[in-house]
Amino acid sequence: MSVKAGGLEFKNPVLTASGTFGYGLEFMPYGDLSRLGGIVVKGLSLEPRQGNPGPRIVETSCGLLNAIGLENIGVEAFIRDKLSLLPWDRTAVIVNLYARESEEFGELAAVLADQEKVAGLEVNVSCPNVRAGGVQFGQDPALVGEVTRKVKDRAGSKPVMVKLSPNVTDITVLARAAEENGADLLSLINTLSGMAVDIRTRRPCLANTTGGLSGPAIKPVALKMVHAVCRAVKIPVIGLGGITTAEDILEYLLVGARAVQVGSGNFQSPDKSFQLVRDLENLTGELGIASWEEYRGSLEEWGR
Ligand SMILES: Cc1cc2nc3c(=O)[nH]c(=O)nc-3n(C[C@H](O)[C@H](O)[C@H](O)COP(=O)(O)O)c2cc1C
């Protein structure tokens, strides 16, 4: 079941997605964290953040809309209070980085570069750049390149994964910008921009008015983007978006992903990711999949 990708090693292809699995420790009552392929922790910034006022998460008919606003305890508190309690020697702990300027991304990488308990860094570029008037880093290839380079330069030997935003015209352009500037891996997708309104109160359902859509609704969109990006770059790709079954995981691997992350599925049931590891083992046995190398990207396209 193990997977090697961009300098990282996972005991199986099932990782948890940032922001949907806390700092990992919250899920200890529901399963053995060391059984997971990897844990991507909540996005961390240099300073603690309170995030947006509520309501900041709402369920739609086909997924979740959230505008949490990157609430987190700050990178120093994570290192001091949480990191050692995770089974970092038995599963890959990946820290998701959040910043409002590219310099800050570099500073975060420098703080984490010599933390032996951290396996790798994931750069969340789906956040506004205050220097560029609030434009998301992830929507501008030049900014994606700049942030990737800043993190890579200060990350020491830590593999750097850039997490792409789907809210763009052509995601392969952003994928190449990250690759050309030193990214070791890519992960995609982050949430899709969306909105929900309440016809009775006549208010947006989220205090922030708009938010990010996740869950089963976004899986076909994400799968298409993962398929396209796997063909556009040489570095490994981690796929995510709407995964709730082992079949979903195999779909991502079939189009070329090296591993996956489970996000909103963890809200359906807190033991979801643990269950998916077991289900994937059973399903690969049932389908006679002998190795990931043979299965990955083996999609047979229809002739044109
Ligand atoms: C409540 C919530 C919080 C999230 N926080 C983060 C975050 O801090 N950093 C990040 O890169 N992505 C964050 N995400 C995005 C997820 O990691 C993931 O990319 C997205 O939800 C799509 O996957 P899914 O459909 O499996 O949920 C968050 C998603 C949700 C639902």
Side-chain angles (χ1 to χ4, degrees):
M1 292 285 277
S2 68
V3 179
K4 282 189 182 158
L8 289 167
E9 243 183 282
F10 309 120
K11 60 172 60 162
N12 62 62
V14 185
L15 285 71
T16 57
S18 181
T20 65
F21 206 71
Y23 300 105
L25 303 171
E26 298 86 338
F27 285 75
M28 275 178 166
Y30 307 105
D32 178 356
L33 293 180
S34 73
R35 296 293 308 272
L36 299 169
I39 299 167
V40 185
V41 301
K42 174 70 189 162
L44 292 168
S45 46
L46 284 173
E47 301 298 330
R49 283 175 58 91
Q50 285 206 319
N52 292 329
R56 53 188 198 171
I57 193 157
V58 58
E59 193 167 348
T60 72
S61 57
C62 52
L64 284 180
L65 260 183
N66 92 83
I68 303 293
L70 279 304
E71 175 182 344
N72 78 94
I73 58 174
V75 69
E76 300 289 356
F78 170 75
I79 293 169
R80 190 185 61 232
D81 303 333
K82 312 276 183 193
L83 184 54
S84 306
L85 304 175
L86 287 166
W88 56 272
D89 49 344
R90 282 166 291 139
T91 188
V93 174
I94 295 173
V95 174
N96 181 280
L97 311 183
Y98 163 74
R100 298 178 313 153
E101 295 180 17
S102 26
E103 286 301 330
E104 271 177 39
F105 273 112
E107 285 170 43
L108 274 166
V111 172
L112 292 156
D114 53 6
Q115 292 295 326
E116 59 154 355
K117 296 170 184 146
V118 172
L121 309 180
E122 181 178 66
V123 186
N124 176 8
V125 292
S126 299
C127 42
N129 176 354
V130 288
R131 282 252 169 94
V135 164
Q136 272 191 20
F137 289 97
Q139 293 177 332
D140 179 341
L143 283 175
V144 166
E146 181 182 303
V147 168
T148 306
R149 178 60 46 209
K150 288 242 155 63
V151 172
K152 194 62 196 163
D153 282 351
R154 303 193 65 187
S157 59
K158 301 277 181 238
V160 172
M161 170 150 73
V162 176
K163 181 169 180 182
L164 299 177
S165 167
N167 303 312
V168 295
T169 310
D170 180 356
I171 198 164
T172 63
V173 174
L174 289 307
R176 280 198 214 96
E179 181 180 46
E180 281 159 15
N181 283 281
D184 298 292
L185 307 95
L186 298 173
S187 52
L188 59 142
I189 61 174
N190 211 312
T191 54
L192 277 157
S193 282
M195 179 173 176
V197 296
D198 186 323
I199 55 164
R200 293 195 168 76
T201 62
R202 302 190 184 193
R203 281 182 185 275
C205 298
L206 294 171
N208 191 55
T209 306
T210 62
L213 183 67
S214 60
I218 74 168
K219 197 188 76 178
V221 178
L223 202 63
K224 176 193 171 231
M225 291 185 170
V226 170
H227 177 255
V229 167
C230 286
R231 275 148 191 78
V233 298
K234 293 198 175 64
I235 52 176
V237 171
I238 311 284
L240 73 154
I243 291 174
T244 59
T245 67
E247 284 81 358
D248 293 338
I249 296 174
L250 285 187
E251 289 177 24
Y252 277 97
L253 302 188
L254 187 58
V255 302
R258 207 61 84 94
V260 299
Q261 296 178 8
V262 181
S264 304
N266 296 304
F267 294 117
Q268 281 185 344
S269 158
D271 66 351
K272 177 63 96 183
S273 295
F274 306 103
Q275 186 61 48
L276 286 177
V277 173
R278 291 191 286 270
D279 291 351
L280 186 64
E281 269 171 14
N282 292 337
L283 187 60
T284 50
E286 189 190 307
L287 298 181
I289 297 169
S291 81
W292 293 133
E293 283 67 34
E294 178 271 314
Y295 190 73
R296 186 189 321 124
S298 65
L299 183 74
E300 292 189 25
E301 310 267 358
W302 294 87
R304 291 181 186 212

